[in-house]
């Protein structure tokens, strides 16, 4: 009987101990993790690869990082150090990079914030197995931002931020659960309006709590861990921390002077250092607003020359080269989608049909110009996360970006119009222009003999005000026939139309003589 009572007592004690341990465990979870996550750190002598993540985060950065991880795996390394220095970039690319990092099972991935990890840069850092920072570095502020044409930053207002931050918050929550960070603390990097306090009681138990809970705990004797920073994050700000505060809050595992010291302290051997190459710098340069403006201007001018004076080849080569950069770079960086590229190409085809096939300038030409403008404009507007359904811009941020892109495209096209006007008036009389303008009569002149010199070489027989008739379409160059009193017959002359398309058979008058170039206008009946 005593034996039975002892067994019952032991079972009762065991159950009580288990329940008490469970209660303590729940209390620990509720209190919030306040130390850096203790994932297994590879031992000394581990071969590692250092991968540098710099500049804007976009689809090109994502693919480049994936290629570098593949190289690291082929080299047989067991750990990767991401040296991060970025203000962020595309939300979609940041989410994809975060998911990619969480899928890496063959490596221990350390995020080393050398200078800054802001926005998508912070998202990438939190997704790694651990974070270390240099003394002057900064981490946080993962609110949506607008990347300016030259890399400048503009914040998004709270209303529009709330519409697109949901997938970002969910990603931060997942990273917090995986790596042992406090969820409330991570969410405060993304969402404005979250108040976070760090408090402790007389027993030394520490917790991250919101404002309402803080008021309740204050009445129970809980006090701020850091009185000089209370709250840790206010409702009006997004959590952004320096290296010291990040280590205190348990976000950073360590603060190190530089990456070399970090590797030496760990005893790791860096067998690969994968930095940005000339190609990466070129992509960043070609993505700038200044270069885009210049390329759109050159593209518009080359289209004008190729369609009004075809056959020389140079304008066509320049046009194709500009298109390759204007469409290829956004495709690499993730700014362009297939329909935007298709808009530009269809627009050019319609414009060519209008000029070469359909006389005048009508629906096809206007539609072509609109498609080119829309296509180029949208390649400058970054996509939003796929979690936001719909096709047209859905938040003010996107409308702002569309407006900015439209102004850039229209400004470049206006510049090209001014330049094209200058070219049409002055290029034929310049030395290089005379090589591009046909000044010799091809074939047998009408009513004359072969070898009759062209206009400008016969003593100036054509004068301003002379009347004639076009024998070919003027686009704006072509042929027109004028009466030559010496031959007593009509004689074809190379002319340049002053204005829009002039079809064959139209009566014209000589408006101006620019050296050997005869400029004509439609005759007024």
């Amino acid at each position: 009987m005593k034996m039975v009572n002892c067994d019952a007592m032991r079972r009762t004690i065991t159950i009580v101990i288990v329940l008490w341990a469970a209660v303590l465990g729940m209390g620990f979870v509720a209190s919030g993790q306040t130390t850096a996550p203790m994932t297994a750190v590879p031992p000394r002598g581990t071969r590692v690869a250092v991968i540098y993540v710099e500049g804007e985060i976009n689809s090109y950065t994502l693919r480049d990082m994936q290629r570098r991880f593949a190289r690291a795996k082929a080299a047989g390394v067991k750990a990767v150090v991401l040296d991060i220095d970025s203000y962020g970039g595309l939300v979609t690319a940041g989410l994809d990079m975060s998911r990619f990092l969480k899928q890496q099972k063959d490596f221990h991935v350390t995020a080393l914030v050398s200078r800054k990890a802001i926005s998508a840069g912070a998202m990438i850092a939190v997704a790694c197995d651990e974070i270390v920072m240099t003394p002057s570095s900064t981490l946080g502020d993962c609110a949506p931002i607008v990347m300016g044409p030259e890399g400048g930053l503009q914040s998004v207002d709270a209303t529009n931020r709330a519409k697109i931050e949901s997938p970002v918050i969910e990603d931060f929550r997942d990273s917090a659960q995986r790596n042992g960070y406090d969820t409330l603390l991570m969410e405060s990097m993304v969402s404005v309006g979250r108040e976070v306090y760090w408090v402790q009681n007389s027993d030394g138990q520490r917790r991250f709590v919101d404002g309402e809970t803080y008021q309740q705990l204050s009445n129970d004797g809980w006090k701020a861990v850091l009185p000089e920073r209370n709250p840790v994050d206010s409702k009006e700000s997004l959590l952004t921390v320096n290296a010291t505060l990040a280590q205190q809050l348990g976000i950073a595992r360590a603060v190190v002077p530089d990456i070399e010291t970090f590797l030496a302290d760990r005893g790791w051997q860096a067998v690969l250092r994968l930095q940005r190459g000339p190609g990466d710098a070129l992509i960043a340069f070609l993505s700038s607003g200044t270069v885009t403006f210049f390329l759109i201007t050159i593209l518009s001018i080359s289209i004008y020359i190729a369609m009004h004076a075809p056959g020389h080849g140079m304008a066509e080569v320049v046009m194709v080269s500009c298109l390759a950069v204007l469409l290829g770079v956004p495709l690499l960086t993730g700014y362009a989608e297939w329909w935007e590229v298709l808009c530009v190409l269809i627009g050019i085809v319609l414009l060519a049909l209008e000029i070469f096939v359909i006389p005048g300038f009508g629906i096809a030409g206007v539609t072509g110009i609109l498609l080119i403008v829309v296509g180029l404009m949208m390649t400058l507007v970054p996509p939003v996360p796929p979690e936001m359904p719909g096709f047209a811009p859905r938040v003010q941020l996107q409308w702002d970006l569309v407006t900015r892109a439209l102004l850039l495209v229209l400004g470049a096209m206006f510049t090209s119009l001014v330049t094209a006007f200058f070219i049409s008036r002055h290029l034929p009389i310049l030395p290089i222009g005379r090589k591009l303008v046909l000044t010799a009569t091809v074939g047998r002149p009408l009513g004359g003999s072969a070898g009759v010199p062209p206009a400008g070489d016969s003593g100036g027989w054509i004068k301003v005000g002379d009347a004639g008739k076009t024998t070919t379409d003027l686009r704006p160059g072509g042929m027109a026939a004028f009466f030559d009193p010496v031959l007593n017959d009509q004689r074809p002359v190379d002319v340049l139309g002053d204005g829009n398309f002039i079809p064959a058979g139209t009566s014209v008058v000589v408006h101006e003589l620019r050296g050997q170039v005869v400029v004509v206008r439609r005759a007024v009946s």
Side-chain angles (χ1 to χ4, degrees), residues 211-262:
E212 183 179 350
T213 306
Y214 172 71
Q215 295 300 327
Q216 297 173 358
L217 294 178
S218 296
N219 298 328
D220 295 332
W222 292 69
K223 297 181 180 180
V225 178
L226 299 175
E228 68 277 10
R229 180 152 180 168
N230 187 43
V232 173
D233 184 57
S234 67
K235 290 183 178 181
E236 294 76 26
S237 65
L238 290 162
L239 181 62
T240 305
V241 296
N242 57 28
T244 302
L245 182 59
Q247 188 176 26
Q248 290 173 331
L249 298 177
I251 299 173
R253 173 171 283 177
V255 178
V256 297
D258 50 50
I259 189 171
E260 302 304 329
T261 303
F262 170 70

Side-chain angles (χ1 to χ4, degrees), residues 304 308 421 424-425 474-477 496-502 511 514 519-522:
Y304 172 84
H308 286 76
F421 177 77
S424 65
R425 293 185 63 85
L474 304 188
R475 307 174 181 273
L496 186 68
D498 184 14
N500 296 325
F501 169 85
I502 301 178
H511 170 65
R514 303 175 189 167
V519 182
V520 299
R521 281 183 175 179
R522 288 176 183 263

